[in-house]
Amino acid sequence: MNRRKIGDYLGLGGVAVILIGLVSYSVHGILTPAISVTLGVGLAAIVAYGVLNFADIRTALSSRSTRFGSNAVLMAVVVLGILILINFVANRHSLRADTTAAKQFSLAEQTRKILKNLDRDVKVTAFYRAEDRWQIESLLKEYAHYSPRFKWEIIDPDQRPAEAKQYNISAYNTIVLECGGKEERITTRTEQDLTNALIKVTRKENKKIYFLTGHGEKDIEATDREGYDAVRKLLRNENYDVEKILLAEKDHVPDDCALLVVAGPKTALLENEASMIRDYLKKGGKALFLLDPESPDEYVNLLGEWGIEVGKNVVVDASGIGRLFGAGPAMPIATQYTSHAITQNFQLMTIYPYARSVRKATNAPVGATVTELVKTSSNAWGETEPLSRGGMVRYDEGKDLPGPVPVAVAYEKEAEETTPRSGEDELRPVRTKTRLVVFGDSDFASNTYYRVQGNGDLFMNAVSWLAEQEDLISIRPKDPEDRRVNLTRSQSRLIFWVTVVLMPLAVLGAGAGIYWKRR
């Protein structure tokens, strides 16, 4: 056997050995010593082939056909390099576009905001069967697109039972979110539920919101049209603890109160209750007042001390928008929002079924920032005369409040009293800010109206600002809009005959006509 023949055998054998080594590496997933030796032997055989056939290789490289072949290979390598570069750039700077009218494939502003503000890793494990993973995979990818801290994995409980047992999974389609030792589980796959779970698992503590009772306020457990059960569920979804409080039984507002809500009171505060609220606010407390036109004057006088003027009127909107919702002119619509953290990027319409004006008083305390958040259109005014059923109303200049009428105000001021710290820093008391938001209507957040346009979002934005949870101020996820097309039986038949029968026949007839003419 001559030298060239030996070289050929070594070359072929080297390639075969290298292939075996690569296949072994692919199967085992790790570079074992045996695989390393196999690859090394294969590489050595190829080198030996090069040494033994060096003269032939040099001759082949200098031939004309080799030069042309080299140019072709070079061009292919350049094109391949360009494609790899494009893929590399696109992978790190992807461009997405949602062309649906309802943006049903885009995450809501609140979800994007929460993801971008994630400061800790969140591990999401979805237990879906292999044939069902498509139901959740695209949503998880979309979340991960906005934050590298959002880690996700889909596990088939049937294929990987050990992990399912470790997480104590008893049902398919369970999603487990973990962050900093906390865990949340959901069995649905909507953006709203996933975002709510994300909020719960990433919040270090639950803030407590108290709803004042004892004066005919809105009931947070009532499911009727005027109740606040929907609001209670919204607040709990965003990790707030919600409770009722009867201040008449207390001697002060609880220390764990992050926000006191007074929603639609019908009777006056007792003097000691007003005193407790006043002391609470002076120490940097936060309160949300939702006052109807019938709410007693004690609340008006209390808020007057903080530079907020609650009007003794009913806002009337002459634009007729209330008729769209089955109501009369006493349902003003608002689209004007003053720049504020609560209304940042807020562009939704809000509706107030029966409202009174709320505006900044001329004698607002020095150092206080009072912002008229929401205003009606210029077609509205604050009617000072009682509204009679079926009666005519008209604007009386000099008597009524001209539009645009403000119906919500936000107040912020450095607290008048400091709050003592606990622990080592108790000698350095904390000075916080007193915050107030006042709406001239309590029905806009009731079970009936909180889903109407932007009512629920504006209410929750106000709560988030008052509770110092500004990162939650945004437009929240909505249920996917049902945009199916419903056809009658006759319309379905018409589409069938046009698209399945007539159009193919027309094409066939045209072809036959052309054939006949040419013939």
Side-chain angles (χ1 to χ4, degrees):
M1 187 178 293
N2 59 27
R3 181 177 178 178
R4 179 184 297 174
K5 205 71 172 179
I6 295 173
D8 291 343
Y9 285 134
L10 285 173
L12 292 173
V15 172
V17 170
I18 286 178
L19 286 175
I20 292 171
L22 292 176
V23 170
S24 299
Y25 174 71
S26 175
V27 171
H28 293 89
I30 56 174
L31 194 62
T32 62
I35 295 175
S36 301
V37 171
T38 303
L39 293 174
V41 170
L43 185 62
I46 291 177
V47 172
Y49 161 78
V51 172
L52 295 174
N53 297 276
F54 180 75
D56 294 339
I57 294 173
R58 186 175 59 181
T59 304
L61 291 176
S62 61
S63 66
R64 183 177 179 185
S65 61
T66 302
R67 288 201 301 272
F68 286 132
S70 300
N71 289 334
V73 170
L74 181 62
M75 292 300 296
V77 170
V78 171
V79 172
L80 185 62
I82 293 173
L83 291 176
I84 292 173
L85 181 62
I86 293 174
N87 185 61
F88 178 80
V89 174
N91 187 45
R92 282 159 176 73
H93 306 282
S94 59
L95 179 63
R96 293 161 170 250
D98 186 353
T99 57
T100 59
K103 300 298 179 186
Q104 63 187 83
F105 299 112
S106 301
L107 297 181
E109 180 188 346
Q110 185 193 45
T111 303
R112 299 197 302 269
K113 198 169 182 179
I114 291 170
L115 288 169
K116 289 177 180 175
N117 290 332
L118 276 182
D119 56 358
R120 293 180 293 168
D121 288 343
V122 178
K123 181 184 177 185
V124 179
T125 310
F127 291 89
Y128 277 63
R129 288 183 295 185
E131 59 267 31
D132 297 331
R133 62 179 291 136
W134 62 270
Q135 298 176 355
I136 191 65
E137 188 171 17
S138 60
L139 183 62
L140 295 178
K141 282 183 178 177
E142 193 71 18
Y143 272 65
H145 174 72
Y146 288 98
S147 174
R149 292 189 174 277
F150 187 90
K151 317 288 186 184
W152 62 275
E153 183 182 13
I154 299 176
I155 293 177
D156 186 336
D158 296 333
Q159 296 179 359
R160 296 165 64 180
E163 284 91 340
K165 188 173 183 180
Q166 178 187 349
Y167 281 92
N168 196 24
I169 300 300
S170 59
Y172 293 118
N173 304 344
T174 300
I175 303 174
V176 182
L177 295 91
E178 300 170 272
C179 179
K182 295 180 68 177
E183 179 181 301
E184 282 292 327
R185 294 171 179 241
I186 58 173
T187 55
T188 56
R189 56 176 181 272
T190 64
E191 181 192 349
Q192 189 172 24
D193 291 339
L194 186 57
T195 300
N196 288 338
L198 186 61
I199 293 171
K200 289 180 181 178
V201 80
T202 54
R203 287 290 177 265
K204 296 178 181 176
E205 62 177 2
N206 294 0
K207 295 205 172 188
K208 185 165 286 187
I209 297 176
Y210 286 99
F211 278 74
L212 187 66
T213 61
H215 313 87
E217 292 91 345
K218 301 292 186 185
D219 187 352
I220 58 173
E221 296 177 353
T223 58
D224 59 9
R225 61 187 306 276
E226 294 186 350
Y228 265 35
D229 177 67
V231 160
R232 179 177 61 91
K233 290 177 180 175
L234 280 176
L235 293 171
R236 288 188 171 175
N237 283 339
E238 297 201 354
N239 224 22
Y240 294 107
D241 291 335
V242 184
E243 286 188 18
K244 298 179 184 177
I245 185 170
L246 181 61
L247 271 184
E249 297 178 339
K250 311 285 183 183
D251 56 2
H252 67 280
V253 177
D255 295 335
D256 63 349
C257 179
L259 172 62
L260 178 67
V261 181
V262 183
K266 294 182 171 60
T267 60
L269 288 167
L270 299 177
E271 184 54 41
N272 66 324
E273 291 177 311
S275 178
M276 281 186 271
I277 295 176
R278 195 176 287 115
D279 292 342
Y280 167 69
L281 292 175
K282 285 181 179 178
K283 293 177 181 176
K286 316 291 187 295
L288 172 61
F289 285 84
L290 302 105
L291 302 181
D292 296 316
E294 295 87 2
S295 295
D297 290 344
E298 282 76 7
Y299 301 92
V300 177
N301 298 334
L302 177 64
L303 293 171
E305 299 173 17
W306 302 91
I308 299 171
E309 180 182 334
V310 181
K312 297 179 180 179
N313 50 40
V314 175
V315 181
V316 174
D317 192 339
S319 65
I321 192 69
R323 295 174 187 172
L324 297 176
F325 301 93
M331 184 182 281
I333 180 175
T335 57
Q336 298 183 44
Y337 305 100
T338 307
S339 177
H340 189 273
I342 296 175
T343 54
Q344 184 179 11
N345 299 324
F346 194 87
Q347 298 176 343
L348 300 176
M349 177 172 58
T350 49
I351 296 165
Y352 304 87
Y354 188 54
R356 65 198 300 179
S357 66
V358 183
R359 57 180 175 169
K360 178 182 179 180
T362 54
N363 60 342
V366 176
T369 303
V370 184
T371 307
E372 295 178 350
L373 288 177
V374 185
K375 293 181 180 179
T376 68
S377 69
S378 56
N379 291 324
W381 71 88
E383 176 64 46
T384 53
E385 291 291 331
L387 300 183
S388 58
R389 180 174 297 180
M392 298 291 293
V393 291
R394 65 179 183 182
Y395 172 68
D396 296 318
E397 190 169 359
K399 187 177 179 183
D400 297 330
L401 180 66
V405 181
V407 292
V409 160
Y411 170 98
E412 185 177 40
K413 185 178 181 293
E414 193 94 352
E416 296 180 13
E417 299 178 14
T418 56
T419 304
R421 286 177 184 265
S422 59
E424 298 178 353
D425 294 332
E426 60 185 2
L427 297 179
R428 290 193 303 116
V430 180
R431 182 171 288 280
T432 60
K433 289 184 177 179
T434 299
R435 285 182 174 180
L436 279 166
V437 172
V438 183
F439 283 92
D441 178 35
S442 67
D443 295 316
F444 86 101
S446 64
N447 294 334
T448 304
Y449 293 102
Y450 90 97
R451 282 185 179 275
V452 176
Q453 301 299 322
N455 283 18
D457 284 310
L458 185 61
F459 177 86
M460 292 302 295
N461 283 359
V463 169
S464 299
W465 181 72
L466 288 166
E468 298 179 323
Q469 302 277 296
E470 281 87 347
D471 58 326
L472 298 181
I473 296 176
S474 54
I475 306 301
R476 287 154 181 80
K478 299 288 192 300
D479 294 334
E481 185 181 357
D482 188 351
R483 296 177 64 82
R484 73 182 71 184
V485 177
N486 296 313
L487 300 176
T488 63
R489 178 184 286 264
S490 59
Q491 289 172 330
S492 299
R493 287 179 177 174
L494 178 62
I495 292 175
F496 171 78
W497 282 103
V498 170
T499 59
V500 178
V501 179
L502 296 181
M503 291 180 67
L505 283 178
V507 173
L508 189 63
I514 293 171
Y515 170 76
W516 183 262
K517 188 175 181 180
R518 288 185 174 179
R519 184 184 177 192

